[in-house]
Protein backbone atom coordinates (compact mmCIF):
# COMPACT_ATOMS: atom_id res chain seq x y z
CA UNK A 1 0.00 0.00 0.00
CA UNK A 2 1.43 3.37 -1.01
CA UNK A 3 -1.33 5.89 -0.20
CA UNK A 4 -3.31 5.95 3.02
CA UNK A 5 -5.77 8.34 4.66
CA UNK A 6 -6.46 9.26 8.27
CA UNK A 7 -9.54 10.80 9.89
CA UNK A 8 -10.95 11.41 13.35
CA UNK A 9 -14.62 10.77 14.00
CA UNK A 10 -17.18 10.95 16.83
CA UNK A 11 -16.47 12.81 20.08
CA UNK A 12 -12.94 14.21 20.25
CA UNK A 13 -10.53 12.87 22.86
CA UNK A 14 -7.20 14.18 24.17
CA UNK A 15 -4.44 12.22 22.45
CA UNK A 16 -6.14 12.08 19.05
CA UNK A 17 -3.49 14.50 17.75
CA UNK A 18 -0.73 12.21 18.98
CA UNK A 19 -2.41 9.35 17.09
CA UNK A 20 -2.64 11.45 13.88
CA UNK A 21 1.04 12.39 14.26
CA UNK A 22 2.03 8.76 14.72
CA UNK A 23 0.06 7.70 11.63
CA UNK A 24 1.55 10.47 9.48
CA UNK A 25 5.14 10.08 10.64
CA UNK A 26 5.09 6.27 10.50
CA UNK A 27 3.65 6.36 6.98
CA UNK A 28 6.27 8.88 5.81
CA UNK A 29 9.02 6.83 7.47
CA UNK A 30 7.82 3.80 5.57
CA UNK A 31 7.78 5.68 2.26
CA UNK A 32 3.99 5.97 1.99
CA UNK A 33 1.93 9.04 1.12
CA UNK A 34 -0.59 10.05 3.76
CA UNK A 35 -3.74 12.16 3.40
CA UNK A 36 -5.61 13.92 6.20
CA UNK A 37 -9.40 13.85 5.87
CA UNK A 38 -11.19 16.71 7.65
CA UNK A 39 -14.46 16.55 9.62
CA UNK A 40 -14.67 12.78 9.89
CA UNK A 41 -16.78 10.80 7.44
CA UNK A 42 -18.62 14.00 6.37
CA UNK A 43 -15.33 15.38 5.08
CA UNK A 44 -14.60 12.11 3.33
CA UNK A 45 -17.90 12.31 1.45
CA UNK A 46 -17.20 15.94 0.52
CA UNK A 47 -13.60 15.29 -0.50
CA UNK A 48 -12.07 17.53 2.20
CA UNK A 49 -8.69 15.88 1.81
CA UNK A 50 -5.12 17.23 1.94
CA UNK A 51 -1.78 15.52 1.79
CA UNK A 52 0.09 15.61 5.09
CA UNK A 53 3.80 15.53 5.77
CA UNK A 54 6.16 15.35 8.73
CA UNK A 55 5.83 19.10 9.30
CA UNK A 56 2.04 19.22 9.21
CA UNK A 57 1.93 17.27 12.46
CA UNK A 58 4.61 19.32 14.26
CA UNK A 59 3.74 21.09 17.53
CA UNK A 60 0.49 19.17 18.05
CA UNK A 61 1.52 16.48 20.52
CA UNK A 62 0.48 18.51 23.56
CA UNK A 63 -2.75 19.82 22.08
CA UNK A 64 -6.17 18.48 23.03
CA UNK A 65 -8.93 18.03 20.44
CA UNK A 66 -8.11 17.01 16.88
CA UNK A 67 -6.41 19.11 14.21
CA UNK A 68 -8.45 17.24 11.59
CA UNK A 69 -11.76 18.24 13.25
CA UNK A 70 -14.39 15.63 13.88
CA UNK A 71 -18.10 14.98 13.32
CA UNK A 72 -20.80 12.40 13.83
CA UNK A 73 -21.97 11.71 10.28
CA UNK A 74 -25.54 10.60 9.56
CA UNK A 75 -24.95 10.90 5.82
CA UNK A 76 -22.24 8.25 5.93
CA UNK A 77 -24.73 5.73 7.34
CA UNK A 78 -26.79 5.91 4.13
CA UNK A 79 -26.10 3.79 1.05
CA UNK A 80 -25.64 6.92 -1.03
CA UNK A 81 -23.19 8.48 1.46
CA UNK A 82 -21.16 5.29 1.62
CA UNK A 83 -20.96 5.07 -2.20
CA UNK A 84 -19.81 8.68 -2.39
CA UNK A 85 -17.11 8.03 0.24
CA UNK A 86 -15.75 4.99 -1.61
CA UNK A 87 -15.76 6.97 -4.83
CA UNK A 88 -13.82 9.87 -3.27
CA UNK A 89 -11.21 7.45 -1.93
CA UNK A 90 -10.83 5.97 -5.45
CA UNK A 91 -10.47 9.43 -7.03
CA UNK A 92 -7.68 10.33 -4.57
CA UNK A 93 -6.08 6.92 -5.01
CA UNK A 94 -6.28 6.28 -1.26
CA UNK A 95 -5.91 2.53 -0.76
CA UNK A 96 -6.40 2.23 2.99
CA UNK A 97 -7.71 4.27 5.89
CA UNK A 98 -7.07 4.81 9.60
CA UNK A 99 -10.19 5.83 11.53
CA UNK A 100 -9.55 7.26 15.00
CA UNK A 101 -12.73 7.28 17.08
CA UNK A 102 -15.19 5.23 19.09
CA UNK A 103 -17.56 2.36 18.34
CA UNK A 104 -19.82 4.44 16.06
CA UNK A 105 -16.78 5.28 13.94
CA UNK A 106 -15.74 1.64 13.82
CA UNK A 107 -19.12 0.74 12.27
CA UNK A 108 -18.16 3.09 9.43
CA UNK A 109 -14.71 1.49 9.27
CA UNK A 110 -16.34 -1.94 9.02
CA UNK A 111 -18.59 -0.82 6.16
CA UNK A 112 -15.62 0.58 4.25
CA UNK A 113 -13.63 -2.62 4.79
CA UNK A 114 -16.59 -4.64 3.44
CA UNK A 115 -16.51 -2.45 0.33
CA UNK A 116 -12.90 -3.29 -0.35
CA UNK A 117 -11.13 -0.37 1.40
CA UNK A 118 -8.85 -1.85 4.07
CA UNK A 119 -9.65 0.23 7.15
CA UNK A 120 -8.12 0.11 10.62
CA UNK A 121 -9.80 1.57 13.72
CA UNK A 122 -7.84 3.24 16.51
CA UNK A 123 -9.88 3.62 19.72
CA UNK A 124 -10.05 7.31 20.65
CA UNK A 125 -12.75 8.14 23.19
CA UNK A 126 -12.76 9.33 26.77
CA UNK A 127 -15.45 6.75 27.63
CA UNK A 128 -13.16 3.68 27.70
CA UNK A 129 -16.10 1.68 26.36
CA UNK A 130 -14.45 -0.38 23.62
CA UNK A 131 -14.50 -4.00 24.77
CA UNK A 132 -11.42 -5.29 22.94
CA UNK A 133 -9.00 -2.80 24.46
CA UNK A 134 -8.07 -2.30 28.09
CA UNK A 135 -7.74 1.42 27.53
CA UNK A 136 -8.87 3.97 24.94
CA UNK A 137 -6.99 7.12 23.95
CA UNK A 138 -8.25 10.06 26.02
CA UNK A 139 -9.53 8.10 29.00
CA UNK A 140 -6.49 8.73 31.22
CA UNK A 141 -6.57 12.48 30.50
CA UNK A 142 -10.30 12.69 31.20
CA UNK A 143 -9.83 10.83 34.49
CA UNK A 144 -7.13 13.31 35.52
CA UNK A 145 -9.29 16.28 34.50
CA UNK A 146 -12.18 14.96 36.59
CA UNK A 147 -9.86 14.27 39.51
CA UNK A 148 -8.67 17.87 39.48
CA UNK A 149 -12.31 19.02 39.57
CA UNK A 150 -13.19 16.62 42.40
CA UNK A 151 -10.31 17.93 44.49
CA UNK A 152 -11.49 21.50 43.99
CA UNK A 153 -15.07 20.62 44.82
CA UNK A 154 -13.80 18.79 47.91
CA UNK A 155 -12.51 22.12 49.28
CA UNK A 156 -15.88 23.82 49.11
CA UNK A 157 -17.90 20.75 50.08
CA UNK A 158 -15.93 20.27 53.31
CA UNK A 159 -16.07 23.99 54.13
CA UNK A 160 -19.87 24.01 53.83
CA UNK A 161 -20.37 20.47 55.20
CA UNK A 162 -22.47 19.49 52.20
CA UNK A 163 -22.98 16.59 49.85
CA UNK A 164 -22.02 17.15 46.22
CA UNK A 165 -23.11 14.96 43.31
CA UNK A 166 -20.61 15.19 40.46
CA UNK A 167 -21.94 13.96 37.13
CA UNK A 168 -19.27 12.66 34.78
CA UNK A 169 -19.39 11.50 31.15
CA UNK A 170 -19.01 7.95 29.88
CA UNK A 171 -22.17 7.39 27.86
CA UNK A 172 -23.26 3.82 28.81
CA UNK A 173 -20.03 3.01 30.65
CA UNK A 174 -19.11 3.73 34.26
CA UNK A 175 -15.33 3.64 33.84
CA UNK A 176 -14.69 7.37 34.28
CA UNK A 177 -16.88 7.30 37.40
CA UNK A 178 -15.17 4.27 38.96
CA UNK A 179 -11.61 5.46 38.30
CA UNK A 180 -12.24 9.01 39.47
CA UNK A 181 -14.32 7.79 42.40
CA UNK A 182 -11.38 5.75 43.66
CA UNK A 183 -8.75 8.39 42.87
CA UNK A 184 -10.84 11.18 44.40
CA UNK A 185 -11.87 9.20 47.49
CA UNK A 186 -15.59 9.56 46.71
CA UNK A 187 -18.10 8.44 49.31
CA UNK A 188 -20.32 6.90 46.61
CA UNK A 189 -20.11 5.88 42.95
CA UNK A 190 -23.20 5.39 40.80
CA UNK A 191 -22.71 3.65 37.47
CA UNK A 192 -24.99 2.19 34.78
CA UNK A 193 -23.51 -1.29 35.22
CA UNK A 194 -25.01 -1.58 38.73
CA UNK A 195 -28.63 -1.08 39.87
CA UNK A 196 -29.26 2.40 41.22
CA UNK A 197 -29.97 2.04 44.94
CA UNK A 198 -30.62 5.54 46.24
CA UNK A 199 -31.81 4.38 49.66
CA UNK A 200 -28.57 2.50 50.20
CA UNK A 201 -26.58 5.57 49.13
CA UNK A 202 -28.54 7.82 51.50
CA UNK A 203 -28.07 5.32 54.32
CA UNK A 204 -24.32 5.43 53.74
CA UNK A 205 -24.31 9.23 53.76
CA UNK A 206 -26.29 9.30 57.03
CA UNK A 207 -24.08 6.62 58.60
CA UNK A 208 -21.03 8.66 57.57
CA UNK A 209 -22.50 11.76 59.19
CA UNK A 210 -23.20 9.82 62.38
CA UNK A 211 -19.56 8.77 62.47
CA UNK A 212 -18.50 12.40 62.23
CA UNK A 213 -18.12 12.78 58.47
CA UNK A 214 -19.37 16.25 57.64
CA UNK A 215 -19.36 16.10 53.83
CA UNK A 216 -19.67 13.62 50.98
CA UNK A 217 -18.82 13.46 47.30
CA UNK A 218 -20.87 11.17 45.08
CA UNK A 219 -19.67 10.46 41.53
CA UNK A 220 -22.53 9.81 39.16
CA UNK A 221 -21.90 8.37 35.70
CA UNK A 222 -24.16 10.10 33.15
CA UNK A 223 -25.53 6.70 32.11
CA UNK A 224 -26.84 6.11 35.63
CA UNK A 225 -28.92 9.25 36.12
CA UNK A 226 -29.08 13.02 36.30
CA UNK A 227 -27.22 14.95 39.01
CA UNK A 228 -29.88 17.65 39.28
CA UNK A 229 -32.58 15.07 40.04
CA UNK A 230 -30.42 13.25 42.56
CA UNK A 231 -29.56 16.50 44.31
CA UNK A 232 -33.20 16.99 45.28
CA UNK A 233 -33.80 13.37 46.28
CA UNK A 234 -30.66 13.11 48.42
CA UNK A 235 -31.30 16.41 50.18
CA UNK A 236 -34.84 15.27 50.97
CA UNK A 237 -33.83 11.83 52.21
CA UNK A 238 -30.73 12.76 54.22
CA UNK A 239 -31.66 16.24 55.35
CA UNK A 240 -28.15 17.34 54.34
CA UNK A 241 -27.57 20.33 52.12
CA UNK A 242 -26.75 18.96 48.67
CA UNK A 243 -25.41 20.45 45.44
CA UNK A 244 -24.98 19.06 41.94
CA UNK A 245 -22.12 19.66 39.49
CA UNK A 246 -22.27 18.53 35.89
CA UNK A 247 -18.70 18.58 34.57
CA UNK A 248 -19.71 18.27 30.91
CA UNK A 249 -17.35 18.89 28.01
CA UNK A 250 -14.47 20.13 30.15
CA UNK A 251 -13.74 16.38 30.42
CA UNK A 252 -12.97 16.16 26.71
CA UNK A 253 -10.43 18.99 26.58
CA UNK A 254 -6.92 19.74 27.73
CA UNK A 255 -3.41 18.51 27.03
CA UNK A 256 -3.20 14.74 26.91
CA UNK A 257 -1.34 12.99 29.70
CA UNK A 258 1.94 11.22 28.93
CA UNK A 259 0.09 7.89 29.21
CA UNK A 260 -2.40 8.94 26.50
CA UNK A 261 0.31 10.33 24.20
CA UNK A 262 2.30 7.11 24.46
CA UNK A 263 -0.77 4.92 23.94
CA UNK A 264 -1.84 7.01 20.92
CA UNK A 265 1.67 6.89 19.45
CA UNK A 266 1.88 3.11 19.79
CA UNK A 267 -1.61 2.56 18.37
CA UNK A 268 -1.10 4.94 15.43
CA UNK A 269 2.15 3.20 14.56
CA UNK A 270 0.52 -0.23 14.69
CA UNK A 271 -2.37 0.88 12.46
CA UNK A 272 0.06 1.89 9.70
CA UNK A 273 2.01 -1.34 10.07
CA UNK A 274 -1.22 -3.25 9.41
CA UNK A 275 -2.12 -1.18 6.35
CA UNK A 276 1.41 -1.53 5.00
CA UNK A 277 0.80 -5.28 4.95
CA UNK A 278 -2.56 -4.69 3.25
CA UNK A 279 -4.40 -5.76 6.39
CA UNK A 280 -7.68 -3.96 7.07
CA UNK A 281 -10.88 -4.61 8.98
CA UNK A 282 -9.01 -4.46 12.32
CA UNK A 283 -9.28 -2.45 15.53
CA UNK A 284 -6.01 -1.72 17.35
CA UNK A 285 -6.08 -2.55 21.07
CA UNK A 286 -3.88 -2.71 24.13
CA UNK A 287 -3.97 -5.82 26.31
CA UNK A 288 -1.44 -6.61 29.01
CA UNK A 289 0.63 -3.63 27.77
CA UNK A 290 0.94 -5.24 24.33
CA UNK A 291 -0.44 -3.59 21.20
CA UNK A 292 -2.61 -6.11 19.37
CA UNK A 293 -5.52 -5.99 16.93
CA UNK A 294 -8.97 -7.53 16.49
CA UNK A 295 -11.44 -8.09 13.69
CA UNK A 296 -13.76 -5.02 13.68
CA UNK A 297 -17.00 -7.02 13.76
CA UNK A 298 -15.65 -9.10 16.63
CA UNK A 299 -14.58 -5.92 18.45
CA UNK A 300 -18.04 -4.41 18.03
CA UNK A 301 -19.97 -7.43 19.25
CA UNK A 302 -17.66 -8.37 22.14
CA UNK A 303 -19.41 -7.62 25.46
CA UNK A 304 -17.50 -5.11 27.56
CA UNK A 305 -16.20 -6.74 30.72
CA UNK A 306 -17.26 -4.92 33.84
CA UNK A 307 -14.38 -4.24 36.23
CA UNK A 308 -15.97 -5.76 39.31
CA UNK A 309 -12.66 -5.80 41.17
CA UNK A 310 -12.27 -2.00 40.95
CA UNK A 311 -15.92 -1.45 41.82
CA UNK A 312 -15.63 -3.67 44.91
CA UNK A 313 -12.43 -1.90 45.91
CA UNK A 314 -14.25 1.43 45.73
CA UNK A 315 -17.01 0.08 47.99
CA UNK A 316 -14.47 -1.05 50.60
CA UNK A 317 -12.46 2.17 50.56
CA UNK A 318 -15.44 4.54 50.65
CA UNK A 319 -16.84 3.39 54.03
O1 LIG B 1 -18.33 9.63 23.62
C1 LIG B 1 -17.77 10.73 24.25
C2 LIG B 1 -18.83 11.57 24.89
O2 LIG B 1 -18.19 12.68 25.51
C3 LIG B 1 -19.73 10.87 25.90
O3 LIG B 1 -19.11 10.68 27.14
C4 LIG B 1 -20.93 11.78 25.93
O4 LIG B 1 -22.08 11.07 26.31
C5 LIG B 1 -21.02 12.26 24.51
O5 LIG B 1 -19.73 12.07 23.93
C6 LIG B 1 -21.41 13.69 24.35
O6 LIG B 1 -21.54 13.95 23.00
P1 LIG B 1 -21.65 15.41 22.37
O7 LIG B 1 -20.29 16.06 22.44
O8 LIG B 1 -22.07 15.16 20.96
O9 LIG B 1 -22.63 16.16 23.19
Amino acid sequence: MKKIGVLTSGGDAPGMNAAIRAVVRTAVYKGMQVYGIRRGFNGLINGEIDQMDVKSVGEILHRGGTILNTARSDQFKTEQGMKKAVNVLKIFGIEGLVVIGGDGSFRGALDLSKRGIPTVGVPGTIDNDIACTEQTIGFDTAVNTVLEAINKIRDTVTSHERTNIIEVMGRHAGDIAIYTGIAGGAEGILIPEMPLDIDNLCRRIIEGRNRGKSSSIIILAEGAGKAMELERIIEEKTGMETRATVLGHIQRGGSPTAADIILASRMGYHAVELLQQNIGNRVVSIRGNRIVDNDIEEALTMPKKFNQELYDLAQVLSI
Side-chain angles (χ1 to χ4, degrees):
M1 210 177 273
K2 280 279 160 220
K3 270 191 194 182
I4 65 167
V6 56
L7 62 82
T8 47
S9 160
D12 62 344
M16 276 185 164
N17 283 329
I20 296 168
R21 175 179 177 268
V23 168
V24 171
R25 294 212 167 158
T26 307
V28 171
Y29 181 85
K30 289 174 179 293
M32 301 157 101
Q33 283 180 28
V34 58
Y35 288 81
I37 299 156
R38 296 205 170 272
R39 302 188 178 85
F41 290 114
N42 281 344
L44 174 56
I45 292 168
N46 298 329
E48 296 180 65
I49 301 175
D50 293 301
Q51 190 168 353
M52 297 182 87
D53 59 20
V54 172
K55 222 171 147 226
S56 56
V57 288
E59 311 297 332
I60 65 166
L61 211 46
H62 61 291
R63 281 169 58 189
T66 158
I67 59 160
L68 289 176
N69 299 113
T70 185
R72 304 189 201 275
S73 174
D74 288 330
Q75 207 190 345
F76 188 69
K77 291 178 193 147
T78 65
E79 182 61 26
Q80 205 195 9
M82 178 67 60
K83 273 191 182 149
K84 270 192 187 167
V86 172
N87 204 25
V88 168
L89 287 169
K90 295 240 158 83
I91 292 169
F92 278 81
I94 296 172
E95 301 154 279
L97 196 63
V98 179
V99 171
I100 305 164
D103 54 358
S105 314
F106 296 162
R107 274 184 204 104
L110 174 66
D111 289 340
L112 282 176
S113 292
K114 280 184 177 162
R115 281 161 202 257
I117 311 285
T119 304
V120 176
V122 170
T125 164
I126 63 163
D127 299 339
N128 207 35
D129 59 349
I130 311 286
C132 61
T133 184
E134 284 165 4
Q135 197 131 320
T136 57
I137 297 165
F139 174 66
D140 186 65
T141 308
V143 165
N144 280 286
T145 302
V146 172
L147 180 59
E148 213 183 306
I150 293 175
N151 291 340
K152 286 182 174 154
I153 290 168
R154 180 75 72 187
D155 289 343
T156 164
V157 114
T158 48
S159 301
H160 283 265
E161 302 180 284
R162 285 173 173 159
T163 296
N164 199 304
I165 323 289
I166 304 177
E167 185 182 312
V168 299
M169 281 186 169
R171 208 179 283 271
H172 306 298
D175 289 40
I176 296 179
I178 297 185
Y179 276 69
T180 57
I182 293 176
E187 280 69 27
I189 300 173
L190 304 172
I191 52 168
E193 292 87 346
M194 294 302 256
L196 189 61
D197 188 346
I198 297 177
D199 284 343
N200 178 43
L201 175 71
C202 291
R203 204 194 62 236
R204 286 169 68 115
I205 294 172
I206 293 167
E207 281 171 359
R209 183 187 54 196
N210 293 345
R211 283 198 314 271
K213 197 184 254 293
S214 61
S215 64
S216 295
I217 283 187
I218 311 300
I219 308 295
L220 168 70
E222 63 174 344
K226 293 267 158 266
M228 301 298 178
E229 282 166 25
L230 265 188
E231 177 194 68
R232 193 183 41 79
I233 299 172
I234 291 177
E235 191 162 276
E236 248 172 51
K237 290 194 181 231
T238 64
M240 287 178 79
E241 203 178 1
T242 305
R243 293 286 186 270
T245 309
V246 181
L247 291 182
H249 286 83
I250 198 168
Q251 297 162 90
R252 290 233 299 258
S255 282
T257 58
D260 270 331
I261 294 175
I262 292 163
L263 179 65
S265 303
R266 292 176 76 191
M267 286 181 160
Y269 174 86
H270 189 82
V272 177
E273 283 222 304
L274 288 171
L275 288 182
Q276 191 191 22
Q277 298 162 61
N278 256 311
I279 302 171
N281 199 25
R282 309 294 291 173
V283 171
V284 181
S285 310
I286 185 160
R287 287 199 294 275
N289 202 24
R290 282 187 55 236
I291 301 293
V292 292
D293 49 87
N294 286 79
D295 177 83
I296 300 185
E297 209 149 16
E298 200 182 285
L300 286 172
T301 48
M302 217 180 259
K304 173 144 164 56
K305 251 174 83 187
F306 174 59
N307 199 331
Q308 188 73 46
E309 190 194 323
L310 270 190
Y311 183 76
D312 291 345
L313 173 69
Q315 300 305 304
V316 172
L317 300 184
S318 65
I319 51 166

